[in-house]
Amino acid sequence: MTQDRWTAVDTYLTDTLVGPDQALDNALLTSESAGLPAINVAPNQGKLLHLLALSHGARSVLEIGTLGGYSTIWLARALPEDGSLVTLEVDPRHAEVARGNIAQAGLADRVELIQGPALETLPRLAERGHGPFDMVFVDADKPSTPEYFRWALRLSRPGTLIVVDNTVRGGAVADAASTDEAVRGVRRMHELIAAEPRVTATAVQTVGTKGHDGFTLALVTAGPAE
């Protein structure tokens, strides 16, 4: 199998099952025009996030890593009218583009975008009484993934679904000797999850327009020990 074949299959699946969407397509075009990196989830992956949130009955979502707001739109659309999504973005330019995309999608009323390093804004969320969230999507810098998972768990409840993107790293996650900080961060997160009695989890590797990668799913099954 080749990248060309993976891309062709993703294109077929997207054309058949996802279809065109003006707001989402415009978000991608606006992000590209603004020079944002093309590291957003693929359309069929965005639809998967949407279906996970929808089937989970999520009313509140935390997203760590906004980029141009593409995945934010997918997730926010799964919420009821009185639902809410908090999304965190470190880069001020990315945050500006995302705010425009979210507003154009008609979702500004249910999305709060907080700009700043997530490891600084997450404690402030806790201080302000945000959470517990029904679903958390983590798609930010991979070396910090273990810390993001800790915060996701802290801001969760039994029943919260935590989804972490880009956790296979082209297969490099299987290399215990890797010196790549992204790989090492993902491996540390998996070790944390494996040792955490409050969650049950699995990971799935994927191929497609984004190459060989995957995601990790963790369901919170119990609250903190008293």
Side-chain angles (χ1 to χ4, degrees):
M1 297 289 284
T2 65
Q3 181 62 58
D4 287 344
R5 176 60 62 88
W6 298 343
T7 300
V9 172
D10 258 12
T11 300
Y12 161 73
L13 295 174
T14 297
D15 289 347
T16 305
L17 300 176
V18 180
D21 184 291
Q22 185 173 356
L24 288 164
D25 294 344
N26 285 345
L28 292 179
L29 287 172
T30 302
S31 297
E32 182 181 5
S33 298
L36 272 61
I39 55 175
N40 51 276
V41 298
N44 52 337
Q45 295 170 339
K47 185 66 174 289
L48 174 62
L49 291 172
H50 177 85
L51 292 175
L52 286 171
L54 199 62
S55 61
H56 200 58
R59 302 181 67 86
S60 61
V61 174
L62 170 63
E63 179 182 49
I64 303 175
T66 316
L67 193 61
Y70 184 74
S71 56
T72 315
I73 294 170
W74 273 115
L75 287 164
R77 283 180 169 180
L79 299 174
E81 288 188 8
D82 61 345
S84 63
L85 185 151
V86 177
T87 183
L88 311 179
E89 174 55 45
V90 64
D91 189 294
R93 177 58 177 154
H94 295 179
E96 178 185 2
V97 172
R99 285 193 178 96
N101 288 334
I102 292 163
Q104 285 193 339
L107 295 165
D109 62 333
R110 69 187 67 176
V111 175
E112 179 184 3
L113 193 158
I114 301 174
Q115 192 270 312
L119 293 180
E120 295 178 10
T121 57
L122 283 163
R124 292 204 290 269
L125 278 182
E127 291 169 2
R128 289 164 50 190
H130 277 277
F133 293 92
D134 299 325
M135 181 174 174
V136 181
F137 177 50
V138 181
D139 191 9
D141 65 296
K142 306 313 166 191
S144 299
T145 302
E147 288 73 27
Y148 296 149
F149 174 77
R150 288 189 181 98
W151 274 106
L153 188 58
R154 178 172 174 176
L155 293 167
S156 70
R157 58 164 178 78
T160 296
L161 178 65
I162 301 171
V163 182
V164 186
D165 199 17
N166 307 126
T167 60
V168 172
R169 316 299 304 166
V173 71
D175 181 7
S178 175
T179 58
D180 185 317
E181 286 304 313
V183 174
R184 292 166 66 88
V186 170
R187 284 181 61 91
R188 287 196 301 272
M189 180 202 68
H190 284 143
E191 291 162 5
L192 279 174
I193 292 174
E196 176 53 68
R198 291 175 288 170
V199 303
T200 182
T202 191
V204 177
Q205 58 181 329
T206 61
V207 294
T209 57
K210 302 297 179 178
H212 177 202
D213 213 327
F215 55 91
T216 298
L217 294 158
L219 182 67
V220 180
T221 57
E226 297 184 1

